[in-house]
Amino acid sequence: MVAGISVPRIEGMAKIRGEERYASDITGSKILWAVARRAGTPSGILRSLGDEPASMDGVVAVCKADSIEGENLLGILELDQPVLVPLGGRIRYRGDPVAVVVADTRERAEAAARALTVEIDPLPAVFDPLEALSPEAPVLYPGREGGNLLASGWVRRGDVRSVLEDCDLMEYDVFRFPMQEHAYLETESGVALYDGEVLEMEVSTQNPWRDRDELSRALGLPRERIRVKAPCLGGGFGGKDGVVIQGLLGAAAMTCPGRAVKMVFSREESFLCSPKRHSSVTEMTLGCSSDGTLRAIKCRFTLDSGAYSSMSVPVLTNGLDHCCGGYRFEAVELEGRAVYTNNPFGGAFRAFGAPQVMGALEQLVDRLAKRLGADPLAFRKKNGLVRGDMNGSGVVLTSTVGAVPCLDRALEQEIWRSRQEWRNSAPEGKARSTGAALICHGQGFGPGIPDFANARIELTEEGRFRLYSGIPDMGQGNGSTYVHLAGESLCQERDRFDLVQPDTDRSLRSGPAAASRTTYIYGRALLAAVDELKRRMYVKAGMVLGAREDDLALLPGKVRCISSGRELPLKGLAGFMEPPERCSVAGSLAPVSFPGPETDYGPKSSGFPHCIFSWAVHIARVEVDLLTGQVSVPRYLAITEAGRVVDPQMYRQQIEGGVAQGLGYALFEDFSVKNGEVASKDLSTYIVPTSMDLPEVECLAVELDEPSGPKGLKGLGELPLIGPLPAVANGLAHICGPLTVSPFTAERVFFSLSGGTIDEDRV
Amino acid sequence: MVAGISVPRIEGMAKIRGEERYASDITGSKILWAVARRAGTPSGILRSLGDEPASMDGVVAVCKADSIEGENLLGILELDQPVLVPLGGRIRYRGDPVAVVVADTRERAEAAARALTVEIDPLPAVFDPLEALSPEAPVLYPGREGGNLLASGWVRRGDVRSVLEDCDLMEYDVFRFPMQEHAYLETESGVALYDGEVLEMEVSTQNPWRDRDELSRALGLPRERIRVKAPCLGGGFGGKDGVVIQGLLGAAAMTCPGRAVKMVFSREESFLCSPKRHSSVTEMTLGCSSDGTLRAIKCRFTLDSGAYSSMSVPVLTNGLDHCCGGYRFEAVELEGRAVYTNNPFGGAFRAFGAPQVMGALEQLVDRLAKRLGADPLAFRKKNGLVRGDMNGSGVVLTSTVGAVPCLDRALEQEIWRSRQEWRNSAPEGKARSTGAALICHGQGFGPGIPDFANARIELTEEGRFRLYSGIPDMGQGNGSTYVHLAGESLCQERDRFDLVQPDTDRSLRSGPAAASRTTYIYGRALLAAVDELKRRMYVKAGMVLGAREDDLALLPGKVRCISSGRELPLKGLAGFMEPPERCSVAGSLAPVSFPGPETDYGPKSSGFPHCIFSWAVHIARVEVDLLTGQVSVPRYLAITEAGRVVDPQMYRQQIEGGVAQGLGYALFEDFSVKNGEVASKDLSTYIVPTSMDLPEVECLAVELDEPSGPKGLKGLGELPLIGPLPAVANGLAHICGPLTVSPFTAERVFFSLSGGTIDEDRV
């Protein structure tokens, strides 16, 4: 295996054959099923719970808050979410769980959970984050300092007011983007067994180690008595980065010691109770001079955090960090707020925070270019960040900066050069246009949150390599890429590797599958561990073969002494090595950066700001049916700079998947919540685009070499999701004017075409 | 500047504007001109030289062998070539120089050289290398052990005879490829000045240091009294790797102390007297089993070395090293011979030795595939070397091996998949076909010849960077790439660099611009020197700014303390550093490999065998006019693996240039020598293709990461020249049957079409 070409995925055949075992596939005749009962009302006090399930057929246990011996509270930064709401406790959204019923079949558990009588004293509720900030609004956490304002943050440099006054052109608008649902194939699921001593759980999770920490506190078990395993996930996208099902499942298992308990969220439950992309209101002003130099940006955005904090604070800071996109500004004033409401809670979702601000920024940039009569990409290039520039957050960029290289590549593409021809080619009843966007996304955590990984690899007695992945595989194939990197360095083929998926008892703590960090950070740690293992193997092989170490070469299945031609099979070599010698571990800590003193920013402890970014220019051809407003995107090109490409197929697939999810966000997915209730309850009304709805995504890589990355790569997971909304909006703007509310459904586009105003309560 | 995108060449504008000063551009009112008088006869003894020039107008000096105080002998491996043939000395080819005349104008020097009476006693001559080996042939070096057999070499593994007998299919043929002329824009040229103490020379050369060594011995001056500077070359391609004009120029200058002497070869002189690609006769047998497994190869090739050894020995060993191409064989028997004749001498030429054997191999491989009914590329893939395999020379390949990745990419290309449609689309009177070849080329020198470079870079008092290139720039732009690599590492833009072209007094010895080594080996040394310079700059900047070194970042023109925002301009920093502190040097030695004991090979000391190769698959669409035999190549695709791409434009240009030169070798360039006389004396009869004769070359890069290379790259200079001949021949074979004599002129193709035999004396 070498770096630079695709290697078939190590788990690929098992997945194609249906043999890969996901958490939801674990089964057995004696397995018990757990089902949660939800509050069903958005605000109130839990008054009482009935005893109906206890006497129902097949019911083994009913777990309520008082069954839990720990603190019964979950939360990554703020500890605000109960595993189960206690009697007298506060209901803050319709999905709050009040009990879990365990029975011998799923149907019986569901029936029993439904039968449970729940009495709740209703309280006033608030569903709009701007309303929630008014002094009269009902407060979700009485006595909490700050009331419903969960968090706020800012970035300030220069005097924005006076620079804006000095600008020749300004653009201002308010953008509203809705919640988005992860809509993974596999809903939240897992199996847990408590043997009276140890709680063991196999669960669809992006971070088994942090799950263990949260479970330990919430359920009152020491960490060493909890084991969490993360098999392959049927999708994650951030939705499984944090405890959602794990607390209920663990609590349920602890009520039935010795019995395996399984839990799988229904689609409706997943829609209601898993974290969403935060809906947002983004108000932005851009100013530039008549020569096309961007000068000042002012932005204020508000995120609906719903009932619980979850990842809201880092989503907020990530939003701040991406407000200024890929441009230089002399004056910056940004403010972000996250607000509690009685809606489903917002949390991590691929690129979190960035789509909500770049969707606004890239539309305003296009409007300025249009007013100046400039090529929108050339206008971006004029203002594009280069290495050595200070970005919006005050970070001087010293790593690779792909903004201008991607723009250069874009400017020469046929899809861009022929946009006039495309426009003119529209048949009767249709209009055609082309839109583009420059996007970027930071990788890893930034200062304040250590971004580390610890890799472990072993040469086994049989002369094979066992690689312990420390970061779950959500489906993106990072496990396979780890094998690819190790195989390249060890000169071994894929079939000589066994990949162990993350397991708190076997792998080493390496943080979540999140933040575009997995391949970068675990790859760095892994290559260090592999180097150490190689060194030990060469030392031992040198003794056995009587050769100098620089006369040895690792070859598939063996070590060869080059000058003598003598060879030692790896199995033979393993026999000469002690078990600890055959096991190598190494850690890696990602670089962080700090903004200089010119910039005032805060908060200072939520992984903000980033220092390494990946970059892309997305170009969309759009077509609108002028009679119906229906939008289609017949061609889509993503030009991406994310360092070197180690596996072209993996690279492409991340981009294709991100663009699909981004086009869903832009055009189809309308996560509609009314009075805290999800109106689009399942996949029949929440429309996720299928391959029939999407163009083939064309991918071009601009390969800059990132010196800090393993084999020169950078993170790519989140970036591609950001581009479609602004690229499509910029295309549509030529046809129907500005679109500030997404998704751009036929109805909204039709109203815009007819110059009408949109009744947002209707669409 | 970053690695991965193109940077405009540092010398680009100067070249476009005509401001770049080549050796042939150096001029001045007092400059003297030197012109050599050549023997004009292919074999004999120099009896006498007249005195006519001495009394002619403007003649300043006449330099003859007896004016030379040194050994008057040149040669890189074998010391066999006189600077000037002495009286009583042997004439071995028509180009042997007998005197150099120096005059005040070029015209007068030419007239005087022409006027010189030269008496030569003729001797029998031999012009065919196979005849030269017969016991009756006239011997060029009487008394020399081995007679006219300059050198031979071999590779043997397994029992070829018995494996061939066991093969199901065999292919055998004899291939004849002619000499090739470098045909650089700038013929050999230079200016020299001898002040009575020091000989200073500015000359179009690929290796100023080795020139100095050769001149020192031949002219009898200690090395420290010789200075050689290499400005930008107007082409080199190997023809300027070794002393051709330098000896004559130096000898002439030493006859006129205190006067600058200039010498520029005429095109005819360059055609006759510079080294040529060796013409060759290659006899090859391949055997494979009916399942398509290549099993055995037997090859014997003979190179015409002409009158002098020059680079014949390494050309021979490089031929041996490339006989087996990109394939596994269980039995190998190779033999190569280099033979003295009275023809112009063979020497270094881009890819030396490899075209002569791969042009044969790749045709026989295609024939085997055809007989098996296999896709020719799939057949190659089945037998293609992968990392860990032993290649033909017995080297186990442990670096990147791009054979199969390039074949995989080729198999999916439209140009390959549509070859049947292309064939069927031929208009009346034309035939169309598609041919392909898998090629590879080793980089650097291999064991026996240390492959090293020493880089030097300085931070100047003005805060700029002065980079001393150690390897001449033949036009390929390696100097620019050095600036690119250093700029990336130092985070500085191109305009902050001054590039000093190689100069034995200022740069450090780094070997020739040759062997696809320049960017790889000097790049390695340079990055080491840059790292050391950066370290020193950070230490000093840390003291000045009161900052920890890991809190500092190099930015364009300055160093910044990240946490405090304090900045120090590079000029300020330079002021705090002592001159030796600001100058950093570092060396690098390329890795070498040895074949295992399974293989017997020799000679063992000519940089053979290689351990790192670059790879490519070339695909040519050909069209033949059935009435005239005229061949055209309307489409050409080169899929190349040469590690990572640091500068896409430089990468592409090497491939385009190599393919152009290769298509010239395949189709146009017929360097015809009759009785030792060049029949195609200049560019009116020796047809070098122009851009009008060639297709646009499509380039695809397969980027494997070569861990030993600077930024992951490998050498690329020579590889692309090898592909066109076999790719075109394989395409033509479908139309007119096997073509074993090149170039494939209309006349040869026409005869082949009509099933006739070709009278090789006629065409």
Side-chain angles (χ1 to χ4, degrees):
Chain A
M1 285 186 285
V2 292
I5 55 161
S6 302
V7 172
R9 285 195 179 196
I10 195 162
E11 83 286 11
M13 281 310 288
K15 283 188 172 175
I16 286 168
R17 291 187 175 129
E19 291 166 2
E20 183 68 45
R21 206 191 60 153
Y22 296 84
S24 53
D25 292 329
I26 302 166
T27 189
S29 59
K30 296 202 173 158
I31 212 160
L32 300 176
W33 281 82
V35 169
R37 170 62 188 262
R38 304 288 174 174
T41 186
S43 183
I45 301 292
L46 178 60
R47 193 50 57 206
S48 72
L49 291 171
D51 281 326
E52 298 86 349
S55 56
M56 289 175 71
D57 273 0
V59 170
V60 176
V62 181
C63 174
K64 300 175 183 173
D66 58 10
S67 328
I68 294 175
E69 287 179 14
E71 295 184 23
N72 187 25
L73 277 176
L74 299 168
I76 294 162
L77 296 167
E78 191 126 347
L79 216 66
D80 58 3
Q81 183 169 17
V83 178
L84 288 169
V85 178
L87 290 182
R90 184 110 180 179
I91 302 296
R92 296 193 181 88
Y93 86 117
R94 291 178 188 270
D96 269 325
V98 296
V100 189
V101 180
V102 184
D104 56 356
T105 70
R106 187 174 185 173
E107 293 69 25
R108 284 174 163 173
E110 278 170 354
R114 257 197 314 272
L116 180 70
T117 309
V118 181
E119 283 182 8
I120 294 170
D121 297 340
L123 285 173
V126 60
F127 303 109
D128 180 280
L130 297 178
E131 279 172 28
L133 291 174
S134 89
E136 295 83 41
V139 174
L140 272 80
Y141 295 85
R144 180 182 180 279
E145 197 182 345
N148 290 333
L149 179 65
L150 164 57
S152 66
W154 69 93
V155 176
R156 285 188 284 264
R157 183 169 71 252
D159 183 347
V160 162
R161 179 192 291 254
S162 70
V163 177
L164 276 178
E165 276 171 8
D166 194 42
C167 280
D168 301 311
L169 281 83
M170 274 202 288
E171 276 291 335
Y172 163 86
D173 221 326
V174 183
F175 299 84
R176 287 161 205 275
F177 306 131
M179 288 186 187
Q180 189 181 14
E181 162 62 32
H182 301 91
Y184 7 76
L185 287 173
E186 180 196 37
T187 59
E188 293 70 13
S189 53
V191 173
L193 174 70
Y194 179 62
D195 64 3
E197 181 71 25
V198 171
L199 174 65
E200 199 170 306
M201 186 179 294
E202 196 160 356
V203 64
S204 194
T205 178
Q206 292 177 229
N207 193 346
W209 282 273
R210 198 179 54 218
D211 287 357
R212 190 176 60 170
D213 296 345
E214 286 200 63
L215 293 174
S216 167
R217 176 192 282 238
L219 304 181
L221 266 181
R223 287 207 310 192
E224 58 276 14
R225 285 172 53 198
I226 303 177
R227 177 182 189 180
V228 182
K229 296 196 269 183
C232 280
L233 275 64
F237 313 114
K240 294 171 182 171
D241 185 12
V243 164
V244 174
I245 196 171
Q246 296 90 323
L248 299 171
L249 179 60
M254 288 177 75
T255 60
C256 320
R259 301 289 301 271
V261 177
K262 179 170 181 174
M263 196 166 190
V264 178
F265 279 7
S266 69
R267 185 61 65 182
E268 280 197 29
E269 193 174 18
S270 179
F271 269 42
L272 175 64
C273 305
S274 72
K276 306 285 151 263
R277 182 184 305 290
H278 295 72
S279 71
S280 60
V281 179
T282 303
E283 196 179 352
M284 190 180 277
T285 310
L286 286 190
C288 78
S289 57
S290 57
D291 72 350
T293 305
L294 282 172
R295 298 188 59 200
I297 180 170
K298 186 170 177 178
C299 177
R300 182 191 233 194
F301 62 88
T302 307
L303 302 174
D304 181 358
S305 297
Y308 297 107
S309 62
S310 182
M311 286 284 195
S312 283
V313 177
V315 170
L316 169 74
T317 55
N318 205 55
L320 289 170
D321 206 12
H322 289 83
C323 268
C324 302
Y327 309 106
R328 279 180 303 275
F329 288 100
E330 61 183 272
V332 175
E333 188 181 314
L334 316 174
E335 185 191 352
R337 298 179 296 185
V339 185
Y340 281 126
T341 67
N342 294 103
N343 285 325
F345 62 100
F349 195 140
R350 199 173 190 175
F352 59 40
Q356 289 98 325
V357 293
M358 281 202 191
L361 173 72
E362 284 297 303
Q363 290 192 60
L364 295 187
V365 165
D366 237 51
R367 291 191 210 168
L368 286 174
K370 193 189 249 177
R371 286 174 60 192
L372 287 161
D375 176 321
L377 293 184
F379 176 71
R380 285 171 169 88
K381 181 179 170 185
K382 182 180 171 73
N383 294 287
L385 291 165
V386 300
R387 191 170 161 213
D389 278 345
M390 184 179 287
N391 76 358
S393 308
V395 172
V396 173
L397 298 173
T398 58
S399 79
T400 44
V401 180
V404 172
C406 286
L407 288 163
D408 275 333
R409 186 72 73 87
L411 280 161
E412 67 192 32
Q413 295 304 310
E414 191 268 335
I415 190 177
W416 186 248
R417 287 186 289 107
S418 69
R419 59 195 192 283
Q420 198 56 53
E421 289 87 320
W422 169 248
R423 192 164 188 169
N424 297 340
S425 71
E428 209 178 359
K430 307 258 188 184
R432 290 176 168 177
S433 180
T434 306
L438 167 66
I439 54 172
C440 62
H441 197 269
Q443 80 171 23
F445 299 151
I449 303 176
D451 188 357
F452 65 88
N454 293 295
R456 174 178 176 188
I457 186 166
E458 286 171 8
L459 173 66
T460 69
E461 260 184 301
E462 297 76 34
R464 298 174 55 77
F465 293 93
R466 190 175 295 133
L467 195 162
Y468 296 83
S469 170
I471 306 188
D473 189 338
M474 296 187 276
Q476 80 274 47
N478 50 315
S480 256
T481 302
Y482 302 153
V483 172
H484 193 158
L485 289 168
E488 194 274 341
S489 185
L490 292 161
C491 191
Q492 301 300 319
E493 291 308 308
R494 193 177 59 130
D495 55 13
R496 191 165 286 271
F497 282 85
D498 301 310
L499 176 65
V500 178
Q501 293 292 353
D503 175 340
T504 54
D505 271 17
R506 302 180 78 196
S507 328
L508 301 176
R509 188 170 192 133
S510 296
S516 304
R517 66 189 286 278
T518 51
T519 308
Y520 177 89
I521 191 68
Y522 194 85
R524 278 164 56 117
L526 179 62
L527 289 183
V530 164
D531 278 351
E532 170 62 17
L533 180 61
K534 265 165 83 171
R535 197 189 59 76
R536 295 182 197 163
M537 289 167 69
Y538 279 136
V539 167
K540 193 55 59 100
M543 293 179 190
V544 177
L545 294 171
R548 275 179 24 196
E549 286 162 44
D550 60 1
D551 191 14
L552 294 172
L554 263 168
L555 299 177
K558 63 195 179 189
V559 179
R560 179 180 167 98
C561 168
I562 294 176
S563 65
S564 72
R566 289 184 64 195
E567 295 182 340
L568 179 62
L570 291 184
K571 184 172 179 180
L573 174 59
F576 287 104
M577 294 172 75
E578 297 299 320
E581 237 183 317
R582 290 190 271 105
C583 173
S584 173
V585 301
S588 175
L589 192 62
V592 292
S593 190
F594 298 85
E598 300 89 342
T599 307
D600 175 28
Y601 75 103
K604 304 242 178 201
S605 59
S606 292
F608 159 59
H610 288 89
C611 65
I612 299 178
F613 292 79
S614 291
W615 307 81
V617 172
H618 284 199
I619 303 177
R621 275 194 178 166
V622 298
E623 183 178 270
V624 175
D625 186 316
L626 297 171
L627 283 178
T628 63
Q630 185 70 41
V631 178
S632 69
V633 180
R635 251 184 98 180
Y636 198 96
L637 170 66
I639 300 167
T640 307
E641 189 278 302
R644 290 296 192 188
V645 178
V646 166
D647 189 309
Q649 192 177 308
M650 298 282 198
Y651 188 88
R652 187 183 177 82
Q653 137 211 305
Q654 280 283 25
I655 295 169
E656 287 179 346
V659 168
Q661 216 160 22
L663 283 172
Y665 186 54
L667 292 171
F668 300 91
E669 302 179 33
D670 206 352
F671 198 88
S672 174
V673 180
K674 302 274 143 122
N675 296 324
E677 187 162 16
V678 181
S680 49
K681 285 189 197 307
D682 58 33
L683 295 168
S684 68
T685 47
Y686 184 78
I687 307 300
V688 177
T690 70
S691 60
M692 298 297 288
D693 300 310
L694 298 172
E696 192 172 322
V697 178
E698 300 161 44
C699 296
L700 278 180
V702 173
E703 294 198 39
L704 309 187
D705 186 274
E706 169 55 39
S708 73
K711 293 279 164 192
L713 66 75
K714 295 191 287 192
L716 175 61
E718 299 171 276
L719 175 73
L721 187 141
I722 307 169
L725 189 146
V728 167
N730 290 338
L732 292 175
H734 297 295
I735 298 171
C736 60
L739 287 165
T740 58
V741 179
S742 72
F744 312 131
T745 55
E747 193 166 8
R748 285 207 178 93
V749 171
F750 179 77
F751 271 103
S752 229
L753 277 170
S754 32
T757 54
I758 306 171
D759 176 356
E760 280 309 325
D761 282 344
R762 269 200 60 227
V763 290
Chain B
M1 286 185 284
V2 292
I5 56 162
S6 301
V7 172
R9 285 193 178 198
I10 195 162
E11 83 286 11
M13 280 310 289
K15 283 188 172 173
I16 286 168
R17 291 186 175 129
E19 292 166 1
E20 182 68 45
R21 207 191 59 153
Y22 296 85
S24 52
D25 292 330
I26 302 167
T27 189
S29 59
K30 296 198 172 163
I31 213 162
L32 300 175
W33 281 84
V35 170
R37 171 62 188 260
R38 306 285 176 174
T41 186
S43 183
I45 301 291
L46 179 60
R47 192 50 59 206
S48 72
L49 291 171
D51 280 326
E52 299 84 348
S55 57
M56 288 176 72
D57 274 359
V59 170
V60 178
V62 181
C63 176
K64 299 176 182 172
D66 57 11
S67 328
I68 294 175
E69 289 180 11
E71 295 184 22
N72 186 24
L73 277 177
L74 299 168
I76 294 162
L77 295 166
E78 192 127 346
L79 215 64
D80 57 4
Q81 186 169 16
V83 178
L84 288 169
V85 178
L87 289 183
R90 184 107 180 184
I91 303 295
R92 295 193 182 88
Y93 86 117
R94 291 179 188 269
D96 268 329
V98 296
V100 188
V101 179
V102 185
D104 56 355
T105 70
R106 186 174 187 175
E107 293 68 28
R108 285 174 160 173
E110 278 170 354
R114 257 197 315 273
L116 181 70
T117 311
V118 181
E119 283 183 9
I120 293 170
D121 298 339
L123 285 173
V126 61
F127 304 108
D128 181 281
L130 296 178
E131 279 172 29
L133 290 174
S134 90
E136 297 82 40
V139 174
L140 272 79
Y141 295 85
R144 180 182 180 279
E145 195 183 344
N148 290 332
L149 179 64
L150 164 57
S152 65
W154 69 93
V155 176
R156 287 188 282 264
R157 184 170 71 253
D159 183 348
V160 162
R161 178 191 291 254
S162 69
V163 176
L164 276 178
E165 276 171 8
D166 193 42
C167 281
D168 302 311
L169 281 83
M170 273 202 289
E171 275 292 333
Y172 163 87
D173 221 325
V174 182
F175 299 84
R176 286 161 205 274
F177 305 131
M179 288 187 189
Q180 189 181 16
E181 163 62 32
H182 302 90
Y184 7 76
L185 287 175
E186 180 196 38
T187 59
E188 293 70 13
S189 54
V191 174
L193 174 70
Y194 179 62
D195 64 3
E197 182 71 26
V198 169
L199 175 65
E200 198 170 307
M201 186 179 292
E202 194 160 356
V203 66
S204 194
T205 178
Q206 294 176 228
N207 193 346
W209 283 271
R210 199 178 53 219
D211 288 356
R212 190 177 59 171
D213 296 347
E214 286 199 64
L215 292 174
S216 168
R217 176 191 282 235
L219 304 182
L221 267 182
R223 286 207 310 190
E224 58 277 15
R225 286 172 53 199
I226 303 176
R227 176 183 188 179
V228 182
K229 295 195 269 186
C232 280
L233 276 63
F237 313 114
K240 295 171 181 170
D241 186 13
V243 164
V244 175
I245 195 171
Q246 296 89 323
L248 299 170
L249 180 60
M254 289 177 74
T255 60
C256 320
R259 300 290 303 269
V261 178
K262 178 170 180 174
M263 195 169 192
V264 177
F265 279 7
S266 70
R267 184 62 65 183
E268 280 197 29
E269 193 174 18
S270 179
F271 268 44
L272 175 63
C273 306
S274 72
K276 306 283 152 263
R277 183 185 304 291
H278 294 73
S279 72
S280 60
V281 180
T282 303
E283 199 179 350
M284 191 179 278
T285 310
L286 286 189
C288 77
S289 57
S290 57
D291 72 350
T293 306
L294 283 172
R295 298 189 58 200
I297 179 170
K298 186 171 177 177
C299 177
R300 181 192 233 195
F301 62 89
T302 307
L303 303 174
D304 181 357
S305 297
Y308 298 108
S309 61
S310 182
M311 285 284 194
S312 283
V313 178
V315 170
L316 169 74
T317 55
N318 205 54
L320 288 170
D321 206 11
H322 289 83
C323 268
C324 302
Y327 309 107
R328 278 180 302 275
F329 287 101
E330 62 183 272
V332 174
E333 188 180 314
L334 316 175
E335 185 190 353
R337 297 179 297 184
V339 184
Y340 282 125
T341 67
N342 295 103
N343 286 324
F345 62 100
F349 196 139
R350 199 173 190 176
F352 59 41
Q356 290 98 325
V357 293
M358 281 202 191
L361 173 72
E362 283 298 303
Q363 291 192 58
L364 295 187
V365 165
D366 237 50
R367 291 192 209 166
L368 286 174
K370 193 188 248 176
R371 285 174 60 193
L372 286 162
D375 176 322
L377 293 184
F379 177 71
R380 285 170 169 88
K381 181 178 169 183
K382 181 181 172 74
N383 294 288
L385 290 165
V386 300
R387 191 170 162 212
D389 278 344
M390 183 178 288
N391 77 358
S393 306
V395 172
V396 174
L397 298 173
T398 58
S399 79
T400 44
V401 181
V404 172
C406 286
L407 289 164
D408 275 333
R409 187 73 73 90
L411 281 161
E412 66 192 35
Q413 295 304 311
E414 190 269 335
I415 189 177
W416 186 248
R417 285 185 289 108
S418 69
R419 59 196 193 281
Q420 198 56 52
E421 289 87 319
W422 170 248
R423 193 165 187 166
N424 296 341
S425 71
E428 208 177 1
K430 308 259 187 182
R432 291 176 167 175
S433 179
T434 305
L438 167 66
I439 55 173
C440 61
H441 197 270
Q443 79 171 26
F445 299 150
I449 303 177
D451 188 357
F452 65 89
N454 293 295
R456 173 178 177 189
I457 185 167
E458 286 172 7
L459 173 67
T460 70
E461 261 185 296
E462 297 75 36
R464 298 174 55 78
F465 293 93
R466 191 175 294 130
L467 195 161
Y468 296 83
S469 170
I471 306 188
D473 189 338
M474 296 187 275
Q476 80 275 48
N478 49 315
S480 256
T481 302
Y482 302 153
V483 171
H484 193 158
L485 288 169
E488 194 274 341
S489 185
L490 292 161
C491 192
Q492 302 300 319
E493 292 307 307
R494 191 178 61 130
D495 55 13
R496 191 164 286 271
F497 283 85
D498 300 310
L499 176 66
V500 178
Q501 293 292 352
D503 175 341
T504 54
D505 271 17
R506 302 181 78 196
S507 329
L508 301 176
R509 187 170 192 135
S510 295
S516 305
R517 66 189 284 280
T518 51
T519 308
Y520 177 88
I521 191 68
Y522 194 84
R524 278 165 54 118
L526 178 62
L527 289 183
V530 164
D531 278 350
E532 170 61 17
L533 181 61
K534 265 166 81 173
R535 197 189 59 75
R536 294 181 197 164
M537 289 168 69
Y538 278 135
V539 166
K540 192 55 60 98
M543 292 178 191
V544 177
L545 295 172
R548 276 178 25 197
E549 287 163 43
D550 60 1
D551 191 14
L552 294 171
L554 263 168
L555 299 177
K558 63 194 179 189
V559 179
R560 179 181 167 97
C561 168
I562 294 176
S563 64
S564 74
R566 290 184 64 194
E567 295 182 342
L568 179 62
L570 292 184
K571 184 172 178 181
L573 174 60
F576 288 104
M577 294 172 76
E578 298 299 319
E581 237 184 315
R582 290 190 271 106
C583 173
S584 173
V585 301
S588 175
L589 192 63
V592 292
S593 191
F594 298 85
E598 300 88 343
T599 307
D600 175 28
Y601 75 103
K604 304 242 178 204
S605 59
S606 293
F608 158 60
H610 289 90
C611 64
I612 299 180
F613 292 80
S614 291
W615 307 82
V617 172
H618 285 198
I619 303 177
R621 275 194 180 167
V622 298
E623 183 178 90
V624 174
D625 185 315
L626 297 172
L627 282 179
T628 63
Q630 186 71 41
V631 177
S632 68
V633 179
R635 251 184 98 179
Y636 199 96
L637 170 66
I639 299 167
T640 307
E641 189 278 302
R644 290 296 192 186
V645 178
V646 167
D647 189 307
Q649 191 177 309
M650 300 281 199
Y651 187 90
R652 187 184 178 83
Q653 136 211 309
Q654 281 283 26
I655 295 168
E656 286 179 347
V659 168
Q661 215 160 23
L663 284 171
Y665 186 55
L667 292 172
F668 301 91
E669 302 179 31
D670 207 352
F671 198 88
S672 175
V673 181
K674 302 274 142 120
N675 297 325
E677 186 162 16
V678 180
S680 49
K681 283 188 197 311
D682 58 32
L683 295 168
S684 68
T685 48
Y686 183 76
I687 307 300
V688 177
T690 69
S691 60
M692 298 298 288
D693 301 309
L694 297 172
E696 192 172 321
V697 179
E698 301 161 45
C699 296
L700 278 180
V702 172
E703 294 198 38
L704 308 187
D705 186 275
E706 169 54 39
S708 74
K711 292 279 162 191
L713 66 76
K714 295 191 288 192
L716 174 61
E718 300 172 276
L719 174 73
L721 187 142
I722 307 168
L725 189 145
V728 167
N730 290 338
L732 292 175
H734 297 293
I735 297 170
C736 61
L739 286 165
T740 58
V741 179
S742 72
F744 312 131
T745 55
E747 194 165 7
R748 285 210 179 91
V749 170
F750 179 79
F751 272 102
S752 228
L753 276 170
S754 33
T757 54
I758 306 173
D759 176 356
E760 279 311 324
D761 283 342
R762 269 199 60 226
V763 290

